[in-house]
Amino acid sequence: VGQGGLLSTPAASCVIRKYRTDGGIVMSASHNPGGPKEDFGVKYNIANGGPAPEAVTEAIFNCTRGISEYRLLDAPDIDLDALGETRLGDMSVAVIDPVADYEELMHGLFDFDAIRALFASGFTMRFDAMHAITGPYAKSILCGTLGAPEDTVVNAVPLPDFGGGHPDPNPVWAKDLMDLMFSDAAPDFGAASDGDGDRNMVLGRHVYVTPSDSLAVLAANAHLASGYKAGLAGIARSMPTSAAADRVAEKLGIGCYETPTGWKFFGNLLDAGKATLCGEESAGTGSNHIREKDGLWAVLLWLNILAVRRETVVDILKANYYSRHDYEGIDATAAAALVDDLRARLGSLPGTQSHGLTVVSADDFAYTDPVDGSRSEKQGIRIGFEGGARAVMRLSGTGTEGATLRVYLERFEPDPAKHDLDPQEALAAIAAAADELAGITARTGRKGPDLMT
Ligand code: MG
């Protein structure tokens, strides 16, 4: 147990692997307020440090059907604030420093001296822990070990209700950080992590780094960090994540895997040594150092890259335009009909012209896991245009609130003179073509998306 009951999800994965335990139990309400009367979740991670696969949870469930008795032990509460071991019957409970093991792992992966020199040179940063789990980790590593000023980390004390906020690191919920990073007082680098510390948001001065671009940048520059200097075995990304990472993999001459959404697909590739880095557009990035995505790890890798390259985030980020458009609360029947109709027409789309773009490919993404051979179908519709531009459409949240249609748009811009366009402007033709080909406006009556990131 982490001191104070605190352990981030990536740190839990680290501890399971380091001490070779049979597994670990993570209790978290994700980014919702937790507690007896609030949200609560229990997750089991297996010995590799990753979430239990279905075969294991299924076996656990089957065991519960055969339980005939259980025993209780009457004992005083354990003081979770005090480090040390306590006996509970035949069991020993160790309360450990939640940060130490994780920090040691990070120290082995990154060039802490280079990052320390970066901060010493006057480099400025703001890390928003959103009153969630990464506060103690960021304080100890960034301010303690790496010498960043104390005010670098804000909202650093984890609170049961997250201080009334919603620790989901995106431009909506981390608005204070967004506002700062786009103001005249913006520091050189900004970052935030979520409720349990596995996701991240990264910003430069006056620029938001999409998780898709972040994966590509980290993959292209990972060799600058000591833990990855031998190079990467491969890169894995979820299907809606931009293909920028594919271009990096091609250039590096390494494997590239496009998987369905869900971290378990990455776990198989990491365990098999086929991928070293992996990421999803929903702000999860990670590597083979553990078997969870890891928010602070991504931030430290960015810092290591900035410390070596000594360039601004904007200068590093160029050439790829990517955006996600969300249409929320669509009538579920209309949304399903839109997707079914588009699916039925996929074969006839190649060769079609729309808003000056020619469709060259259209399919419904399916995936066969190269490690265990399992098959996942109907993962989202991909439409490829001449020149490498792409639109992806997926439905999610088909609940009582209606469905959300997510449209992912991207294109690569090789001309440096066109690297400073407004992203929505740069993607306008692809958005219009996706709308026309799928009949979004016609079928939903919506004039535009509710959210563009
Ligand atoms: Mg999380």
Side-chain angles (χ1 to χ4, degrees):
V1 186
Q3 189 177 22
L6 299 174
L7 205 56
S8 74
T9 294
S13 184
C14 160
V15 168
I16 292 168
R17 292 167 67 83
K18 180 173 174 181
Y19 296 102
R20 299 176 183 278
T21 71
D22 293 322
I25 297 169
V26 177
M27 293 181 277
S28 155
S30 189
H31 40 257
N32 301 315
K37 291 186 178 148
E38 300 283 353
D39 232 347
F40 191 66
V42 180
K43 191 171 94 162
Y44 182 68
N45 280 24
I46 57 173
N48 76 351
E54 248 163 62
V56 174
T57 51
E58 194 61 28
I60 292 172
F61 175 65
N62 283 330
C63 284
T64 66
R65 298 179 180 214
I67 292 174
S68 56
E69 63 169 337
Y70 60 89
R71 297 176 196 176
L72 298 173
L73 179 77
D74 223 346
D77 286 348
I78 290 176
D79 182 2
L80 295 180
D81 292 326
L83 296 175
E85 288 201 27
T86 312
R87 299 297 298 183
L88 269 187
D90 292 336
M91 182 172 69
S92 167
V93 178
V95 176
I96 60 168
D97 180 331
V99 180
D101 296 310
Y102 179 81
E103 180 164 343
E104 185 189 283
L105 180 63
M106 295 299 111
H107 198 168
L109 295 174
F110 303 119
D111 186 347
F112 274 17
D113 287 339
I115 303 175
R116 208 177 285 120
L118 178 72
F119 280 119
S121 74
F123 176 88
T124 53
M125 174 182 181
R126 168 71 58 88
F127 182 93
D128 191 341
M130 305 184 87
H131 288 301
I133 189 64
T134 46
Y137 295 84
K139 271 278 182 196
S140 172
I141 298 174
L142 298 177
C143 304
T145 306
L146 298 173
E150 281 300 321
D151 61 2
T152 299
V153 180
V154 298
N155 301 321
V157 178
L159 298 173
D161 65 349
F162 304 121
H166 191 76
D168 195 1
N170 66 35
V172 176
W173 293 108
K175 190 169 180 307
D176 288 353
L177 181 63
M178 280 296 278
D179 289 348
L180 174 72
M181 294 308 296
F182 282 87
S183 75
D184 289 342
D188 298 306
F189 188 56
S193 191
D194 74 325
D196 65 339
D198 59 358
R199 289 186 296 131
N200 73 88
M201 177 166 99
V202 166
L203 302 110
R205 214 178 130 80
H206 301 176
V207 64
Y208 167 72
V209 183
T210 71
S212 287
D213 287 339
S214 181
L215 174 66
V217 168
L218 295 181
N221 295 281
H223 62 279
L224 300 176
S226 50
Y228 305 95
K229 66 172 184 285
L232 309 177
I235 306 167
R237 65 167 174 87
S238 66
M239 187 274 280
T241 306
S242 123
D246 302 16
R247 278 184 275 276
V248 173
E250 197 184 336
K251 210 159 182 184
L252 295 174
I254 58 174
C256 179
Y257 301 87
E258 184 176 24
T259 69
T261 300
W263 202 256
K264 63 180 176 180
F265 295 101
F266 294 149
N268 277 351
L269 294 167
L270 295 172
D271 276 347
K274 289 179 178 291
T276 310
L277 248 58
C278 41
E280 347 180 83
E281 58 77 35
S282 53
T285 329
S287 89
N288 60 351
H289 68 292
I290 53 170
R291 291 297 180 274
E292 291 276 5
K293 45 196 180 241
D294 190 344
L296 200 50
W297 166 89
V299 173
L300 289 167
L301 181 49
W302 261 100
L303 283 172
N304 198 148
I305 291 165
L306 293 168
V308 175
R309 290 184 53 154
R310 296 290 175 125
E311 287 174 88
T312 66
V313 174
V314 166
D315 285 337
I316 292 175
L317 268 184
K318 278 179 176 167
N320 203 59
Y321 288 106
Y322 179 86
S323 179
R324 189 179 95 190
H325 291 187
D326 288 357
Y327 297 78
E328 292 167 348
I330 302 178
D331 175 73
T333 315
L338 181 153
V339 170
D340 286 345
D341 175 60
L342 181 59
R343 209 169 256 144
R345 291 185 288 115
L346 287 176
S348 65
L349 288 184
T352 308
Q353 292 259 344
S354 177
H355 293 267
L357 297 164
T358 307
V359 177
V360 293
S361 64
D363 70 352
D364 194 357
F365 180 59
Y367 179 74
T368 304
D369 192 304
V371 182
D372 65 20
S374 62
R375 179 95 177 148
S376 307
E377 287 178 334
K378 295 192 175 180
Q379 295 294 315
I381 291 168
R382 303 185 293 185
I383 299 176
F385 300 97
E386 212 165 43
R390 190 173 87 135
V392 169
M393 281 167 251
R394 300 184 74 218
L395 269 188
S396 71
T398 43
T400 48
E401 306 282 311
T404 298
L405 176 68
R406 297 194 206 283
V407 184
Y408 308 81
L409 309 160
E410 67 173 298
R411 81 180 174 88
F412 177 66
E413 176 54 71
D415 181 359
K418 293 181 183 163
H419 285 174
D420 295 317
L421 301 177
D422 173 79
Q424 299 304 336
E425 228 166 84
L427 295 166
I430 302 161
D435 183 6
E436 184 177 73
L437 295 168
I440 299 170
T441 306
R443 283 176 169 271
T444 66
R446 300 293 177 88
K447 289 200 174 66
D450 299 286
L451 183 68
M452 296 192 280
T453 53

